[in-house]
Amino acid sequence: MAPSADSSTDDPGTVPRGIGALESCVLEAIDDAEALQLLRELIACPSENPPGNEGACARFLASFLERRGVTCRLVEVAPGRPNLYATVGTSGPTLVLCGHLDTVPAGGGWTVDPFSGTVTGGHVYGRGACDMKAGVAAMAAAMAAVKRSGILLRGSLALHAVIDEEVGSAGARKAAAEQPGDWVIVTEPSGGRVLVTGNGQLNFEIVFHGKAVHSSHPEDGRNAIHDAAGFICLVEEQARCLATAPCPGIGPATYSVGLVKGGRGGSTVADRCELTLDRRVLPSEGLDAAEAEVRRLLSRLETERPGLGWELTRTVAFPPLRGTNTGRLEQVLNDALVDLGRTVAEPSHGMRFATDAAWYEAAGGSAVVFGPGDVAIAHQSDEHVAIEELNTSTRVLALCCVRLLTL
Ligand SMILES: [Zn+2]
């Protein structure tokens, strides 16, 4: 028989304050060793993007959940690259837990094997340990505990393990369109804080066209590298202007030139220069308005440098996370943290980085970011996550499920 929703407990000495009987039933079904083993096995299953080989990881996670009685579906987003959808519960309101399966490439500089899942000093090491296989392990372990507890949900707990967040977010865009959910928790590394707002991200490829001539007569040609340099100066000037108007809890909108490529050699005037420009977009801004700002800078450069030739292509476009209708979800998560004896961060804390939460918010869900790990050590060599954070996140997600879907 499923336990009742009675909030009393006969054993207040072992159950944290504020935790009801139904909730303690789910917490007791959490298996920390299972979550740790899952994390290590996910790390041992490389899913670097590029190239985007998440298939084996998705199938492994599906088999983990299916062995625990959870219904799973693998749906290809691109050839050989499936999203995994898993569900526990019934029709009704839906809590979606979303995490991406892909990681950035391992790269060099590691002191341990990046796919070993080495455990030392209370931390697990490996590519994706923090960003974000710990988050994926936490949500799968929480779902396994809910299933194992046998509690009856008045709605459904859904897990979306998606592809491609590190490049184009094809996985979350598809998942959010198919099942936006009523509440969505993206378990990206948040240092255990509930983050409700975040910057969007635009990337552009900009090509400047010049005319190649012998460098002894540069006035006869057009130097595309010099044009690009003029543009970079305008970008820096605009960035200084943006820095004067920061968004509370996040900071200012920013610019960064990430790549410059052009020229043929010392004795030839450069006929082409490409650059990649990153613009972080505040929750108060729109993507189109931010692109218009870049185009204004190019128009200004045209005035300063008559005959300028350029092309601009938008290559990455994450909308900002505005924190729409997140009040109840934020409260439930923060209450769970308090009830588990953790401190709660200042309200309205936001992210400077873009996450898949934005796609769910854009699809009509209320979406926040909460998960184990510190984003400051993501994408680095010797990436790691604290096991204690994995365990706390698993408990918070499980409590959140009970409180949103049974009360
Ligand atoms: Zn991530």
Side-chain angles (χ1 to χ4, degrees):
M1 190 179 86
S4 76
D6 183 358
S7 62
S8 68
T9 171
D10 292 328
D11 188 7
T14 57
V15 177
R17 215 169 140 255
I19 304 289
L22 200 61
E23 295 161 354
S24 65
C25 178
V26 174
L27 292 181
E28 284 162 12
I30 290 173
D31 182 341
D32 288 337
E34 173 188 71
L36 175 59
Q37 182 65 21
L38 174 60
L39 170 56
R40 298 186 66 203
E41 287 174 332
L42 288 171
I43 290 169
C45 197
S47 51
E48 297 164 287
N49 188 20
N53 52 357
E54 303 94 338
C57 214
R59 287 189 293 276
F60 173 78
L61 187 60
S63 83
F64 169 90
L65 290 165
E66 283 170 344
R67 286 198 303 275
R68 287 155 181 81
V70 175
T71 306
C72 292
R73 270 189 315 134
L74 289 166
V75 178
E76 279 204 345
V77 180
R81 303 182 64 189
N83 278 350
L84 165 63
Y85 302 102
T87 309
V88 171
T90 180
S91 59
T94 302
L95 168 63
V96 174
L97 306 178
C98 174
H100 63 84
L101 291 171
D102 59 318
T103 70
V104 293
W110 290 75
T111 60
V112 296
D113 176 349
F115 302 112
S116 63
T118 299
V119 176
T120 180
H123 292 77
V124 183
Y125 286 75
R127 174 54 79 225
C130 165
D131 184 11
M132 58 169 289
K133 290 182 172 176
V136 171
M139 64 193 207
M143 177 174 252
V146 169
K147 180 72 179 175
R148 194 154 46 223
S149 73
I151 68 164
L152 299 177
L153 301 180
R154 292 185 202 141
S156 81
L157 173 64
L159 179 147
H160 294 176
V162 299
I163 67 159
D164 195 41
E165 192 271 349
E166 298 290 1
V167 174
S169 267
R173 278 186 282 141
K174 182 177 173 71
E178 289 178 0
Q179 188 179 41
D182 296 277
W183 306 283
V184 181
I185 303 171
V186 174
T187 58
E188 288 273 12
S190 72
R193 292 170 300 183
V194 182
L195 306 175
V196 300
T197 58
N199 280 346
Q201 178 185 8
L202 282 175
N203 276 190
F204 304 99
E205 278 179 15
I206 304 171
V207 181
F208 292 96
H209 296 286
K211 181 185 174 192
V213 294
H214 196 280
S215 296
S216 59
H217 292 78
E219 67 279 8
D220 294 336
R222 181 172 191 101
N223 194 317
I225 292 176
H226 290 198
D227 285 337
F231 177 67
I232 291 170
C233 288
L234 292 183
V235 164
E236 286 195 305
E237 184 185 315
Q238 182 64 18
R240 284 192 291 275
C241 180
L242 293 173
T244 63
C247 171
I250 294 183
T254 57
Y255 276 106
S256 176
V257 175
L259 182 144
V260 178
K261 191 165 71 178
R264 301 168 181 227
S267 62
T268 306
V269 167
D271 61 344
R272 182 182 173 92
C273 185
E274 304 169 22
L275 59 86
T276 301
L277 179 68
D278 179 285
R279 168 67 153 82
R280 298 297 160 136
V281 182
L282 297 178
S284 57
E285 297 182 298
L287 295 181
D288 290 342
E291 177 170 334
E293 181 183 272
V294 174
R295 289 182 178 276
R296 277 199 303 278
L297 295 178
L298 286 161
S299 296
R300 192 176 140 198
L301 191 67
E302 269 177 341
T303 309
E304 294 174 5
R305 293 173 168 265
L308 182 78
W310 58 271
E311 293 168 66
L312 177 142
T313 308
R314 189 193 276 201
T315 55
V316 172
F318 270 91
L321 183 66
R322 302 183 199 281
T324 308
N325 296 324
T326 54
R328 184 171 178 213
L329 185 54
E330 188 181 4
Q331 187 68 50
V332 168
L333 280 162
N334 280 327
D335 286 350
L337 281 165
V338 169
D339 291 341
L340 291 165
R342 304 308 193 276
T343 51
V344 172
E346 292 288 306
S348 77
H349 208 95
M351 299 160 281
R352 295 186 71 165
F353 53 97
T355 70
D356 280 337
W359 303 112
Y360 289 89
E361 184 183 73
S366 59
V368 304
V369 172
F370 169 83
D374 179 354
V375 74
I377 57 166
H379 298 198
Q380 297 186 14
S381 56
D382 287 348
E383 179 181 347
H384 57 280
V385 69
I387 295 169
E388 200 272 337
E389 281 199 54
L390 169 68
N391 295 341
T392 297
S393 293
T394 304
R395 283 166 175 68
V396 169
L397 295 175
L399 264 186
C400 197
C401 171
V402 176
R403 291 176 176 180
L404 288 169
L405 297 176
T406 66
L407 301 179

